[in-house]
Amino acid sequence: MRHPLRTGLLGVAVTVLGYALFAAWLGVHAGRYLDARDRATARTTGVVVEDGVGDDEDVRVRWTDGGGHLHVQRFGVYDTGRYGKGEEFGVAYDPAAGRPRGFPADPDETAEEDDLVVPVFLGAAVALPLTLVWLWRGLRFRLTARRPGRPMTARVRVGTRRAPWRAPTATWLELSAPEGRHWQRVMWHPALHEPPAELPVTVHGAPPGSRRPAVPVLPDGTRLVPLGRLRDRPPAAVLFHDDTTVRADLRDAFVLPPGTAVRPVPPWHAGLRTAAAGAALGTVVGLVMTHATLTGTVAVALSCTALVTSVWTLSAPQP
């Protein structure tokens, strides 16, 4: 179970670390915002010079501080209908600051603060289920492996999946039993590299007629982690490599010298590419959604990188 365990630990680590960085980034900026707002003890009245700014319908306000300096600043507000062009807008600022920053004087107008705090809770609502999936897989594997087993003959099948957000290949076992054939998807394991055409296995947790996940045990005692239920027919969305004449691996197109050992490519290479793609996608989305603000763009990039990589690990990557 060496490779599946590492994959599971990587999936949990990516989810937890990604969320921690995301929450820390927003938390630091939220703390700075709250500290600055607490120091904004002076009050003045500005005038709305533009309303309905951007997708969030922010307002742009012209206001003057106690030193006579004129400011034009954009504010996020919830009550957009209250602040039309030409309407008064209460502004709070720090009188001791050389270049004071304005805050809505109305304590109910917390749009900017909420933009920093609310995503932290939304991120937790995503990170927690992703982590629980790995815990559930591990618990289900342990419980299923303890159930009675029965002998079957297995054939290792490698297939290609169409979904672009998942690992492109998946490992299946075609299990033969007196009552018929079954298909069980499993996490890839080094013991499955270059397997024989057929091998005897002991299948736990799959009594005749059951569709619950089954744990196949190889002759050397290796237990394979199941993904999904036991099927009575081959999966329709998977194209098995041995069912087509098209080469599935470019390495098959080269003639290697006799005795050359072909090692599987570590799946972490694809993981790094996946993380980089998630970071690039998150940066672009952040630039568009947050109007190119540094805080928002970095937050979206961090969350997208962690999410895409977590989903990739959940898809059970393999060489």
Side-chain angles (χ1 to χ4, degrees):
M1 191 182 168
R2 179 181 58 189
H3 182 276
L5 178 60
R6 290 178 178 177
T7 303
L9 292 177
L10 175 64
V12 174
V14 166
T15 303
V16 174
L17 179 60
Y19 172 72
L21 293 174
F22 170 76
W25 174 261
L26 290 180
V28 168
H29 286 82
R32 292 176 178 175
Y33 177 86
L34 294 174
D35 290 341
R37 193 181 66 180
D38 290 341
R39 294 193 300 268
T41 56
R43 298 289 187 273
T44 187
T45 301
V47 178
V48 177
V49 296
E50 186 180 1
D51 59 4
V53 180
D55 297 335
D56 296 329
E57 298 186 356
D58 296 342
V59 295
R60 205 178 306 277
V61 178
R62 181 176 62 244
W63 59 281
T64 305
D65 60 32
H69 300 96
L70 182 65
H71 303 267
V72 177
Q73 183 178 336
R74 177 174 173 173
F75 293 92
V77 294
Y78 284 124
D79 194 356
T80 55
R82 175 182 173 186
Y83 304 108
K85 185 176 181 180
E87 297 290 337
E88 293 184 346
F89 187 91
V91 178
Y93 66 95
D94 181 4
R99 299 180 60 184
R101 173 187 180 183
F103 299 87
D106 186 348
D108 293 331
E109 293 294 355
T110 59
E112 188 170 354
E113 174 188 346
D114 294 343
D115 287 343
L116 296 171
V117 176
V118 172
V120 176
F121 294 96
L122 295 179
V126 175
L128 181 59
L130 290 175
T131 304
L132 291 178
V133 169
W134 282 113
L135 296 178
W136 166 242
R137 281 185 179 180
L139 178 62
R140 184 181 63 182
F141 168 76
R142 295 292 183 184
L143 296 178
T144 303
R146 294 177 180 178
R147 293 174 179 168
R150 57 188 178 122
M152 290 187 179
T153 301
R155 178 186 175 195
V156 180
R157 310 287 301 275
V158 178
T160 300
R161 296 180 289 188
R162 303 295 185 182
W165 62 88
R166 308 171 70 181
T169 56
T171 300
W172 292 76
L173 291 186
E174 182 180 345
L175 303 170
S176 300
E179 71 275 6
R181 295 182 179 270
H182 307 278
W183 282 260
Q184 175 67 64
R185 183 183 163 214
V186 296
M187 293 186 69
W188 185 85
H189 192 282
L192 298 178
H193 182 56
E194 297 184 352
E198 291 186 347
L199 67 162
V201 295
T202 302
V203 180
H204 294 263
S210 173
R211 302 181 65 182
R212 294 179 300 183
V215 174
V217 180
L218 303 181
D220 62 358
T222 300
R223 296 180 298 176
L224 302 178
V225 179
L227 299 172
R229 59 182 176 83
L230 187 69
R231 297 170 179 260
D232 295 331
R233 60 188 64 185
V238 177
L239 177 63
F240 290 110
H241 295 173
D242 51 0
D243 289 342
T244 176
T245 59
V246 179
R247 294 188 184 274
D249 194 329
L250 186 61
R251 291 172 295 179
D252 297 338
F254 298 90
V255 178
L256 300 177
T260 302
V262 180
R263 297 180 179 274
V265 179
W268 322 126
H269 292 184
L272 293 176
R273 294 194 298 268
T274 302
L281 175 63
T283 300
V284 173
V285 173
L287 290 172
V288 174
M289 293 182 57
T290 67
H291 309 289
T293 61
L294 177 62
T295 302
T297 300
V298 173
V300 175
L302 287 173
S303 62
C304 192
T305 302
L307 179 61
V308 170
T309 310
S310 297
V311 173
W312 174 79
T313 58
L314 283 174
S315 68
Q318 65 180 58

